[in-house]
Amino acid sequence: MQRIPRTLVLSIAFFMAFLTGMALSDHHDAGSHAMAEKSADGEMGEHSDSVGLHGGKLSITDHHQFETLFAKDGIRVFIYSAQQAPMMIQKSTGTATLIYKNKTKEVIPLLQQKPADDETSIYFCPMHPDVVQMEPGQCKLCGGMTLFIQDYLFARADLSTIEPGSVNVEIQLKDLKGIESEVTY
């Protein structure tokens, strides 16, 4: 199994920041930067301070980018190519493990879900990575192909009662498309 060079445990502090506005907004911080981190085995990888298309935190590997979004009703994971193009979930599955301060763990399955009508949606062309927009349409480069709506993996959990700093989250994904079929961050 290929892992992100250092297991990135997301703090619920991010969850609270997202709930106060960023998580459910259309905000995209194009001026953010990525920084290199060194894992215990000395490999270099990137953890991004950037905000994804849906307002979530980005995690980067050699072959994918993952956007993790925390909301009151659960955790959403969006998948992108190494070139930052949206990807479909296809057969990918996974788990979100909530790790509480008292060392207890709660493992929640991540299942494929399409965006609800009231959710911010990303539409894209799988053949042209630069064709990404916030409304339905057609790819002019393809000659009119209908754009795909980006789906995501969803772990249903009531996060509204979790206090900041009281839990960390570990995401494990498997059956990803391409060379990198499994990751943990």
Side-chain angles (χ1 to χ4, degrees):
M1 173 164 95
Q2 184 170 350
R3 295 175 65 97
I4 291 178
R6 182 176 71 110
T7 301
L8 174 63
V9 181
L10 299 170
S11 170
I12 285 299
F14 292 128
F15 158 73
M16 294 307 294
F18 291 133
L19 285 181
T20 58
M22 189 175 290
L24 300 176
S25 74
D26 293 341
H27 179 73
H28 178 117
D29 183 2
S32 297
H33 66 281
M35 59 187 167
E37 294 184 339
K38 188 176 272 191
S39 67
D41 59 5
E43 290 183 36
M44 293 300 288
E46 288 186 36
H47 163 72
S48 173
D49 283 338
S50 296
V51 175
L53 295 174
H54 300 275
K57 187 76 171 172
L58 294 179
S59 298
I60 303 169
T61 67
D62 289 339
H63 302 283
H64 292 97
Q65 289 190 14
F66 304 96
E67 180 181 2
T68 307
L69 180 69
F70 296 93
K72 292 179 182 181
D73 64 344
I75 302 167
R76 289 163 176 77
V77 177
F78 299 89
I79 300 176
Y80 300 86
S81 70
Q83 295 77 30
Q84 302 175 349
M87 294 178 65
M88 298 300 290
I89 297 302
Q90 295 182 335
K91 296 180 182 181
S92 301
T93 60
T95 58
T97 303
L98 304 180
I99 306 165
Y100 297 94
K101 279 192 170 190
N102 66 6
K103 306 295 181 206
T104 60
K105 295 181 180 183
E106 180 181 1
V107 179
I108 306 165
L110 282 160
L111 304 173
Q112 183 178 5
Q113 185 156 335
K114 296 208 180 283
D117 290 339
D118 61 345
E119 286 184 274
T120 299
S121 298
I122 302 297
Y123 297 84
F124 69 99
C125 175
M127 295 171 34
H128 298 99
D130 294 339
V131 178
V132 178
Q133 59 191 48
M134 302 296 286
E135 62 275 336
Q138 297 174 331
C139 178
K140 293 175 183 165
L141 299 175
C142 286
M145 182 177 85
T146 301
L147 298 177
F148 289 44
I149 188 168
Q150 186 181 25
D151 55 356
Y152 55 88
L153 291 170
F154 181 64
R156 184 169 308 285
D158 180 6
L159 302 179
S160 65
T161 60
I162 296 177
E163 294 182 35
S166 67
V167 66
N168 290 321
V169 178
E170 180 181 270
I171 305 292
Q172 288 188 303
L173 303 175
K174 62 182 181 175
D175 299 323
L176 297 168
K177 183 178 179 183
I179 297 170
E180 183 180 60
S181 64
E182 296 184 10
V183 295
T184 298
Y185 65 95

